[in-house]
Amino acid sequence: MMCVVCKQAEVEIGTTTITLERDNLTMLIKNVPARVCPNCGEAYVDRKVTADLLRTAEDMAQKGAQVDIRQYVPA
């Protein structure tokens, strides 16, 4: 797949760091599997991983967390 941001390179399998913010919660997830553009660094995360991340963020928000930093673990 060609990067839709820079249109200069094919994306490659790799990992990225995702930051999610909502209300008082800031969540940083490292080593998230993604397709990453070697030219501009844009990362594309698939639907299943995105759903996992959002579910985890919702759980942390419900528990009242304000800051959470973790490694990605598939659900």
Side-chain angles (χ1 to χ4, degrees), residues 28-68:
L28 184 83
I29 308 100
K30 298 179 178 185
N31 295 318
V32 177
R35 289 173 284 153
V36 181
C37 177
N39 183 61
C40 71
E42 184 69 17
Y44 302 88
V45 179
D46 72 26
R47 289 181 187 188
K48 181 190 179 313
V49 172
T50 299
D52 289 346
L53 295 175
L54 293 175
R55 191 171 24 259
T56 301
E58 181 63 31
D59 289 345
M60 295 309 296
Q62 293 295 323
K63 292 177 181 174
Q66 291 185 348
V67 176
D68 186 71

Side-chain angles (χ1 to χ4, degrees), residues 3-25:
C3 178
V4 299
V5 174
C6 72
K7 298 176 178 43
Q8 300 297 311
E10 291 285 327
V11 295
E12 301 171 352
I13 294 174
T15 61
T16 191
T17 298
I18 301 288
T19 303
L20 299 173
E21 294 182 281
R22 187 179 112 197
D23 300 327
N24 294 324
L25 172 64

